[in-house]
Amino acid sequence: MDGVCQIFEGRLKELNPTLRNITYDITDLYTFIDQLADMSALVFNPQINAYMPYDKDWLKKKAFSHLKRQAQ
């Protein structure tokens, strides 16, 4: 999830190069994810020894949990 957030934050920096501090909320991140043409995650499942695909909705839930943990 760090990677997804870093990509989004990097894009925000590109769009706002003169701002030192950039803030965003979860809906901004969700909008960014939704605007990507093809975004999914492959997560290794050791029980079946294979990678499982997950869609944008799964990514958004995981990103929310990740950011919530970081804020605590």
Side-chain angles (χ1 to χ4, degrees):
M1 286 301 104
D2 278 333
V4 173
C5 294
Q6 287 174 354
I7 292 169
F8 175 59
E9 290 168 0
R11 182 68 179 139
L12 289 176
K13 288 177 185 176
E14 288 175 9
L15 294 172
N16 303 284
T18 60
L19 296 178
R20 277 188 73 177
N21 295 316
I22 299 173
T23 59
Y24 62 90
D25 64 27
I26 195 69
T27 58
D28 298 323
L29 179 58
Y30 288 172
T31 300
F32 174 75
I33 291 171
D34 285 336
Q35 289 175 347
L36 296 172
D38 186 24
M39 177 66 135
S40 61
L42 291 174
V43 179
F44 186 73
N45 182 334
Q47 293 175 335
I48 62 170
N49 200 33
Y51 286 90
M52 300 293 299
Y54 291 93
D55 63 5
K56 290 179 182 182
D57 289 332
W58 182 89
L59 282 166
K60 289 189 272 188
K61 289 176 190 172
K62 290 296 184 178
F64 177 78
S65 296
H66 175 73
L67 292 173
K68 187 176 176 182
R69 276 192 309 274
Q70 281 188 334
Q72 293 176 345

